[in-house]
Amino acid sequence: MALTKWIRFLLALIVAVLAVVVLVSVLSLFLWSLTAALLATLLVFVVAPDESKAFWRAIASHLDGWIERLEALWNDICRGVSQSAEAVSAMAAGMAQAQAQASQEEVPTPEVTVEAVEATPPSDAPKAP
């Protein structure tokens, strides 16, 4: 029994070490690719500065257009939500007003007399025991 506990502990330790090794290797690959991309960008600036500046201006104008469209969309969404909220609150106020009016009105209650109950014909339903 004690041997299986040691085997489980050893296997868990091996798996944990392998997980850390994989994490470190993926992180190092990410940093290496980031460094390579930075060097490539700097090389492009050195080799063709005018073309690279024009490229970055074009990218910036595209991003500005996207951001402007997203801002317009966000404003439309906010306007729609506020209009919906106003409509719901107006509907709730109307329902509350109607309920208040209904509670103020008297509802006629039918008068039941013994004679009226005795005059009604018996139903065909069986009586409860």
Side-chain angles (χ1 to χ4, degrees), residues 72-98:
L73 177 65
W74 180 255
N75 289 334
D76 289 343
I77 289 171
C78 289
R79 192 176 316 112
V81 167
S82 65
Q83 288 174 354
S84 298
E86 289 172 2
V88 167
S89 65
M91 185 173 31
M95 290 175 64
Q97 184 181 10

mmCIF file of all heavy atoms in Angstrom, residues 72-98:
data_model
loop_
_atom_site.group_PDB
_atom_site.id
_atom_site.type_symbol
_atom_site.label_atom_id
_atom_site.label_comp_id
_atom_site.label_asym_id
_atom_site.label_seq_id
_atom_site.Cartn_x
_atom_site.Cartn_y
_atom_site.Cartn_z
ATOM 1 N N ALA A 72 -19.813 55.021 -33.124
ATOM 2 C CA ALA A 72 -21.172 55.296 -33.611
ATOM 3 C C ALA A 72 -22.113 54.148 -33.252
ATOM 4 O O ALA A 72 -23.254 54.377 -32.832
ATOM 5 C CB ALA A 72 -21.152 55.512 -35.118
ATOM 6 N N LEU A 73 -21.632 52.924 -33.402
ATOM 7 C CA LEU A 73 -22.442 51.763 -33.038
ATOM 8 C C LEU A 73 -22.756 51.770 -31.543
ATOM 9 O O LEU A 73 -23.894 51.508 -31.140
ATOM 10 C CB LEU A 73 -21.720 50.473 -33.421
ATOM 11 C CG LEU A 73 -22.396 49.164 -33.047
ATOM 12 C CD1 LEU A 73 -23.698 49.016 -33.820
ATOM 13 C CD2 LEU A 73 -21.475 47.995 -33.315
ATOM 14 N N TRP A 74 -21.768 52.085 -30.723
ATOM 15 C CA TRP A 74 -21.968 52.133 -29.278
ATOM 16 C C TRP A 74 -22.988 53.203 -28.909
ATOM 17 O O TRP A 74 -23.849 52.988 -28.058
ATOM 18 C CB TRP A 74 -20.637 52.381 -28.571
ATOM 19 C CG TRP A 74 -20.780 52.438 -27.099
ATOM 20 C CD1 TRP A 74 -20.758 53.527 -26.300
ATOM 21 C CD2 TRP A 74 -21.018 51.327 -26.226
ATOM 22 N NE1 TRP A 74 -20.943 53.179 -24.990
ATOM 23 C CE2 TRP A 74 -21.104 51.831 -24.921
ATOM 24 C CE3 TRP A 74 -21.143 49.959 -26.428
ATOM 25 C CZ2 TRP A 74 -21.318 51.012 -23.825
ATOM 26 C CZ3 TRP A 74 -21.357 49.144 -25.329
ATOM 27 C CH2 TRP A 74 -21.448 49.673 -24.058
ATOM 28 N N ASN A 75 -22.904 54.368 -29.559
ATOM 29 C CA ASN A 75 -23.878 55.428 -29.283
ATOM 30 C C ASN A 75 -25.284 54.996 -29.688
ATOM 31 O O ASN A 75 -26.261 55.279 -28.980
ATOM 32 C CB ASN A 75 -23.487 56.710 -30.015
ATOM 33 C CG ASN A 75 -22.257 57.349 -29.410
ATOM 34 O OD1 ASN A 75 -21.965 57.164 -28.234
ATOM 35 N ND2 ASN A 75 -21.525 58.095 -30.212
ATOM 36 N N ASP A 76 -25.414 54.288 -30.826
ATOM 37 C CA ASP A 76 -26.728 53.788 -31.248
ATOM 38 C C ASP A 76 -27.273 52.778 -30.246
ATOM 39 O O ASP A 76 -28.464 52.799 -29.913
ATOM 40 C CB ASP A 76 -26.643 53.147 -32.629
ATOM 41 C CG ASP A 76 -26.427 54.171 -33.732
ATOM 42 O OD1 ASP A 76 -26.665 55.369 -33.479
ATOM 43 O OD2 ASP A 76 -26.016 53.760 -34.841
ATOM 44 N N ILE A 77 -26.409 51.906 -29.756
ATOM 45 C CA ILE A 77 -26.842 50.904 -28.776
ATOM 46 C C ILE A 77 -27.291 51.590 -27.483
ATOM 47 O O ILE A 77 -28.336 51.256 -26.919
ATOM 48 C CB ILE A 77 -25.709 49.889 -28.508
ATOM 49 C CG1 ILE A 77 -25.518 48.992 -29.727
ATOM 50 C CG2 ILE A 77 -26.000 49.047 -27.275
ATOM 51 C CD1 ILE A 77 -24.306 48.102 -29.649
ATOM 52 N N CYS A 78 -26.516 52.574 -27.021
ATOM 53 C CA CYS A 78 -26.889 53.292 -25.788
ATOM 54 C C CYS A 78 -28.207 54.027 -25.965
ATOM 55 O O CYS A 78 -29.057 54.021 -25.064
ATOM 56 C CB CYS A 78 -25.788 54.269 -25.399
ATOM 57 S SG CYS A 78 -24.292 53.477 -24.793
ATOM 58 N N ARG A 79 -28.394 54.650 -27.126
ATOM 59 C CA ARG A 79 -29.644 55.354 -27.385
ATOM 60 C C ARG A 79 -30.821 54.375 -27.397
ATOM 61 O O ARG A 79 -31.880 54.650 -26.831
ATOM 62 C CB ARG A 79 -29.548 56.091 -28.719
ATOM 63 C CG ARG A 79 -30.664 57.077 -28.935
ATOM 64 C CD ARG A 79 -30.508 57.893 -30.232
ATOM 65 N NE ARG A 79 -29.150 58.392 -30.456
ATOM 66 C CZ ARG A 79 -28.354 57.956 -31.454
ATOM 67 N NH1 ARG A 79 -28.771 57.047 -32.297
ATOM 68 N NH2 ARG A 79 -27.157 58.464 -31.599
ATOM 69 N N GLY A 80 -30.646 53.214 -28.037
ATOM 70 C CA GLY A 80 -31.715 52.212 -28.065
ATOM 71 C C GLY A 80 -32.054 51.680 -26.691
ATOM 72 O O GLY A 80 -33.222 51.490 -26.353
ATOM 73 N N VAL A 81 -31.033 51.438 -25.878
ATOM 74 C CA VAL A 81 -31.275 50.937 -24.525
ATOM 75 C C VAL A 81 -31.994 51.979 -23.683
ATOM 76 O O VAL A 81 -32.932 51.653 -22.943
ATOM 77 C CB VAL A 81 -29.944 50.504 -23.865
ATOM 78 C CG1 VAL A 81 -30.110 50.276 -22.385
ATOM 79 C CG2 VAL A 81 -29.417 49.257 -24.535
ATOM 80 N N SER A 82 -31.598 53.244 -23.814
ATOM 81 C CA SER A 82 -32.272 54.276 -23.017
ATOM 82 C C SER A 82 -33.714 54.463 -23.475
ATOM 83 O O SER A 82 -34.608 54.662 -22.644
ATOM 84 C CB SER A 82 -31.511 55.593 -23.093
ATOM 85 O OG SER A 82 -31.529 56.100 -24.415
ATOM 86 N N GLN A 83 -33.972 54.377 -24.776
ATOM 87 C CA GLN A 83 -35.350 54.477 -25.258
ATOM 88 C C GLN A 83 -36.181 53.305 -24.771
ATOM 89 O O GLN A 83 -37.343 53.459 -24.387
ATOM 90 C CB GLN A 83 -35.383 54.554 -26.783
ATOM 91 C CG GLN A 83 -34.900 55.874 -27.336
ATOM 92 C CD GLN A 83 -34.810 55.865 -28.851
ATOM 93 O OE1 GLN A 83 -35.007 54.847 -29.494
ATOM 94 N NE2 GLN A 83 -34.503 57.025 -29.426
ATOM 95 N N SER A 84 -35.592 52.110 -24.759
ATOM 96 C CA SER A 84 -36.316 50.942 -24.249
ATOM 97 C C SER A 84 -36.606 51.088 -22.765
ATOM 98 O O SER A 84 -37.694 50.741 -22.300
ATOM 99 C CB SER A 84 -35.498 49.671 -24.490
ATOM 100 O OG SER A 84 -35.311 49.459 -25.866
ATOM 101 N N ALA A 85 -35.648 51.598 -22.028
ATOM 102 C CA ALA A 85 -35.848 51.787 -20.591
ATOM 103 C C ALA A 85 -36.938 52.822 -20.331
ATOM 104 O O ALA A 85 -37.766 52.647 -19.431
ATOM 105 C CB ALA A 85 -34.538 52.216 -19.931
ATOM 106 N N GLU A 86 -36.949 53.887 -21.133
ATOM 107 C CA GLU A 86 -38.002 54.890 -20.970
ATOM 108 C C GLU A 86 -39.376 54.298 -21.284
ATOM 109 O O GLU A 86 -40.355 54.574 -20.589
ATOM 110 C CB GLU A 86 -37.727 56.086 -21.881
ATOM 111 C CG GLU A 86 -36.558 56.941 -21.440
ATOM 112 C CD GLU A 86 -36.195 57.997 -22.473
ATOM 113 O OE1 GLU A 86 -36.877 58.088 -23.513
ATOM 114 O OE2 GLU A 86 -35.218 58.724 -22.228
ATOM 115 N N ALA A 87 -39.451 53.474 -22.348
ATOM 116 C CA ALA A 87 -40.732 52.859 -22.703
ATOM 117 C C ALA A 87 -41.203 51.912 -21.608
ATOM 118 O O ALA A 87 -42.389 51.882 -21.263
ATOM 119 C CB ALA A 87 -40.600 52.120 -24.031
ATOM 120 N N VAL A 88 -40.291 51.132 -21.048
ATOM 121 C CA VAL A 88 -40.662 50.202 -19.987
ATOM 122 C C VAL A 88 -41.107 50.960 -18.746
ATOM 123 O O VAL A 88 -42.101 50.589 -18.100
ATOM 124 C CB VAL A 88 -39.486 49.248 -19.670
ATOM 125 C CG1 VAL A 88 -39.720 48.489 -18.387
ATOM 126 C CG2 VAL A 88 -39.278 48.276 -20.818
ATOM 127 N N SER A 89 -40.407 52.041 -18.402
ATOM 128 C CA SER A 89 -40.812 52.797 -17.215
ATOM 129 C C SER A 89 -42.154 53.486 -17.441
ATOM 130 O O SER A 89 -42.967 53.566 -16.516
ATOM 131 C CB SER A 89 -39.736 53.815 -16.838
ATOM 132 O OG SER A 89 -39.600 54.791 -17.853
ATOM 133 N N ALA A 90 -42.413 53.967 -18.667
ATOM 134 C CA ALA A 90 -43.716 54.573 -18.954
ATOM 135 C C ALA A 90 -44.821 53.530 -18.876
ATOM 136 O O ALA A 90 -45.907 53.785 -18.354
ATOM 137 C CB ALA A 90 -43.694 55.224 -20.333
ATOM 138 N N MET A 91 -44.538 52.322 -19.378
ATOM 139 C CA MET A 91 -45.526 51.246 -19.310
ATOM 140 C C MET A 91 -45.787 50.861 -17.854
ATOM 141 O O MET A 91 -46.933 50.638 -17.454
ATOM 142 C CB MET A 91 -45.048 50.030 -20.104
ATOM 143 C CG MET A 91 -46.069 48.927 -20.189
ATOM 144 S SD MET A 91 -45.644 47.542 -21.281
ATOM 145 C CE MET A 91 -43.908 47.422 -21.212
ATOM 146 N N ALA A 92 -44.730 50.791 -17.054
ATOM 147 C CA ALA A 92 -44.904 50.450 -15.645
ATOM 148 C C ALA A 92 -45.688 51.538 -14.912
ATOM 149 O O ALA A 92 -46.537 51.238 -14.066
ATOM 150 C CB ALA A 92 -43.540 50.247 -14.990
ATOM 151 N N ALA A 93 -45.430 52.798 -15.248
ATOM 152 C CA ALA A 93 -46.170 53.881 -14.614
ATOM 153 C C ALA A 93 -47.644 53.821 -15.003
ATOM 154 O O ALA A 93 -48.526 54.038 -14.169
ATOM 155 C CB ALA A 93 -45.572 55.224 -15.009
ATOM 156 N N GLY A 94 -47.918 53.509 -16.281
ATOM 157 C CA GLY A 94 -49.310 53.372 -16.716
ATOM 158 C C GLY A 94 -50.009 52.224 -16.025
ATOM 159 O O GLY A 94 -51.182 52.333 -15.630
ATOM 160 N N MET A 95 -49.319 51.106 -15.853
ATOM 161 C CA MET A 95 -49.916 49.965 -15.162
ATOM 162 C C MET A 95 -50.171 50.294 -13.701
ATOM 163 O O MET A 95 -51.201 49.918 -13.136
ATOM 164 C CB MET A 95 -49.005 48.739 -15.295
ATOM 165 C CG MET A 95 -48.967 48.169 -16.697
ATOM 166 S SD MET A 95 -47.787 46.825 -16.884
ATOM 167 C CE MET A 95 -48.460 45.606 -15.799
ATOM 168 N N ALA A 96 -49.246 51.020 -13.070
ATOM 169 C CA ALA A 96 -49.437 51.393 -11.666
ATOM 170 C C ALA A 96 -50.605 52.349 -11.523
ATOM 171 O O ALA A 96 -51.404 52.242 -10.582
ATOM 172 C CB ALA A 96 -48.161 52.028 -11.119
ATOM 173 N N GLN A 97 -50.740 53.275 -12.476
ATOM 174 C CA GLN A 97 -51.857 54.210 -12.429
ATOM 175 C C GLN A 97 -53.179 53.481 -12.641
ATOM 176 O O GLN A 97 -54.165 53.743 -11.941
ATOM 177 C CB GLN A 97 -51.671 55.289 -13.493
ATOM 178 C CG GLN A 97 -52.726 56.371 -13.454
ATOM 179 C CD GLN A 97 -52.506 57.403 -14.541
ATOM 180 O OE1 GLN A 97 -51.681 57.215 -15.423
ATOM 181 N NE2 GLN A 97 -53.243 58.489 -14.457
ATOM 182 N N ALA A 98 -53.217 52.544 -13.567
ATOM 183 C CA ALA A 98 -54.445 51.776 -13.806
ATOM 184 C C ALA A 98 -54.797 50.930 -12.589
ATOM 185 O O ALA A 98 -55.972 50.795 -12.224
ATOM 186 C CB ALA A 98 -54.273 50.897 -15.036
#
